[in-house]
């Protein structure tokens, strides 16, 4: 059981370390990018419409030409973008480059929903790890907590998918890039969906094992 406690504590540490790293790195990068875009728009009295981290695909590979230089050798190289962030600008007061109001509202709601889901998952995750470290494995509360986490993963997958589809559709309606189009190939959040189903499956196994243990205790 000592090994099990060590694994539980290690899982808890890795979970929060990964969360902190992703939060800090993404926040710093987003802040620096937003600062640069805002500085450009303010200096020229423009309004910006920013589309962050969207998948793209080339329309014609026959039009590929060297577009960068290898700093080690000085040779020309071809850089093929697969994910880009685009900031479009328009004159102040014009409506041509303003984000769609519906998209902004939906995005705000989904972001708050995802933040709430993440908080709930974190709370129950910590509760489960603490219960496991106390040898409270076959407990009906844990079954309920794991079920909540599993469904939170599934709701997260649906929310992320809807958000990505809306963002890509909005970008397609407002921006046209030369020899490049926005891609829907990675719009579905398969990772969260798969994680949710795995968690629910493991929870079902735990529920069956708990039922067998209760029957065994009654028999004894």
């Amino acid at each position: 059981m000592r090994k099990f406690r060590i694994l539980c504590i290690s899982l808890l540490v890795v979970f929060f370390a990964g969360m902190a790293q992703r939060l800090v790195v993404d926040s710093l990068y987003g802040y620096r990018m937003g600062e640069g875009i805002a500085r450009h728009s303010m200096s020229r009295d423009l309004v910006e419409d920013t589309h962050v981290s969207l998948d793209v695909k080339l329309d014609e590979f026959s039009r590929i030409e060297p577009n960068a230089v290898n700093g080690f050798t000085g040779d020309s190289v071809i850089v093929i973008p697969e994910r880009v962030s685009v900031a479009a600008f328009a004159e102040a007061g014009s409506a041509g480059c303003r984000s769609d109001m519906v998209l902004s509202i939906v995005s705000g709601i989904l972001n708050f929903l995802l933040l709430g889901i993440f908080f709930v998952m974190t709370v129950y995750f910590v509760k489960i790890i603490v219960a496991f470290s106390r040898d409270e494995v076959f407990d009906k509360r844990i079954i309920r907590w794991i079920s909540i986490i599993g469904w939170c993963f599934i709701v997260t997958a649906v929310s992320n998918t809807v958000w990505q589809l809306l963002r890509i559709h909005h970008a397609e309606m407002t921006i046209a890039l030369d020899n490049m189009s926005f891609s829907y190939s990675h719009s579905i959040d398969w990772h969260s969906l798969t994680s949710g189903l795995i968690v629910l499956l493991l929870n079902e196994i735990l529920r069956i094992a708990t039922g067998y243990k209760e029957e065994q205790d009654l028999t004894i």
Side-chain angles (χ1 to χ4, degrees):
M1 191 57 68
R2 179 183 178 185
K3 183 178 180 181
F4 185 75
R5 290 196 184 97
I6 293 175
L7 289 175
C8 289
I9 295 174
S10 300
L11 180 60
L12 189 62
V13 171
V14 170
F15 175 79
F16 281 106
M19 178 184 64
Q21 180 185 14
R22 183 173 181 178
L23 181 63
V24 171
V25 172
D26 290 350
S27 298
L28 288 177
Y29 181 77
Y31 174 79
R32 291 174 57 191
M33 181 177 64
E35 186 181 34
I37 294 174
R39 186 184 303 112
H40 175 82
S41 60
M42 291 178 62
S43 63
R44 293 166 174 78
D45 194 23
L46 301 172
V47 292
E48 72 275 359
D49 186 16
T50 306
H51 307 262
V52 181
S53 297
L54 293 176
D55 293 322
V56 294
K57 58 183 179 180
L58 295 181
D59 296 329
E60 296 182 25
F61 286 95
S62 60
R63 296 173 56 187
I64 296 179
E65 295 180 357
N67 53 7
V69 177
N70 186 341
F72 290 107
T73 63
D75 298 328
S76 298
V77 296
I78 297 176
V79 178
I80 301 176
E82 295 181 351
R83 171 163 289 196
V84 299
S85 295
V86 181
F89 300 92
E91 296 293 334
S94 67
C97 202
R98 294 184 186 278
S99 297
D100 183 77
M101 183 63 67
V102 176
L103 177 66
S104 300
I105 295 174
V106 174
S107 297
I109 294 175
L110 290 177
N111 285 331
F112 277 111
L113 175 64
L114 292 173
L115 183 62
I117 291 174
F118 181 77
F119 176 77
V120 171
M121 291 175 62
T122 302
V123 170
Y124 283 110
F125 180 80
V126 173
K127 285 185 176 182
I128 292 171
I129 297 299
V130 172
F132 281 173
S133 65
R134 296 175 179 173
D135 301 338
E136 299 173 0
V137 178
F138 299 101
D139 192 325
K140 291 185 177 180
R141 295 180 306 164
I142 296 178
I143 296 176
R144 185 174 68 254
W145 295 344
I146 295 178
S147 178
I148 291 174
I149 291 177
W151 283 108
C152 282
F153 270 117
I154 293 177
V155 174
T156 298
V158 174
S159 300
N160 281 334
T161 299
V162 172
W163 186 52
Q164 288 292 343
L165 291 174
L166 288 175
R167 292 195 321 125
I168 297 172
H169 177 71
H170 177 62
E172 283 186 329
M173 296 298 102
T174 56
I175 298 176
L177 302 176
D178 181 45
N179 195 34
M180 193 179 301
S181 58
F182 297 102
S183 173
Y184 288 87
S185 58
H186 297 96
S187 58
I188 299 178
D189 188 0
W190 293 110
H191 176 73
S192 297
L193 182 59
T194 303
S195 299
L197 293 177
I198 291 175
V199 169
L200 291 177
L201 176 61
L202 295 177
N203 185 58
E204 185 64 17
I205 295 174
L206 180 61
R207 186 188 67 80
I208 295 174
T210 301
Y212 285 153
K213 184 178 184 302
E214 290 178 349
E215 291 179 2
Q216 185 178 15
D217 292 341
L218 291 175
T219 303
I220 296 175

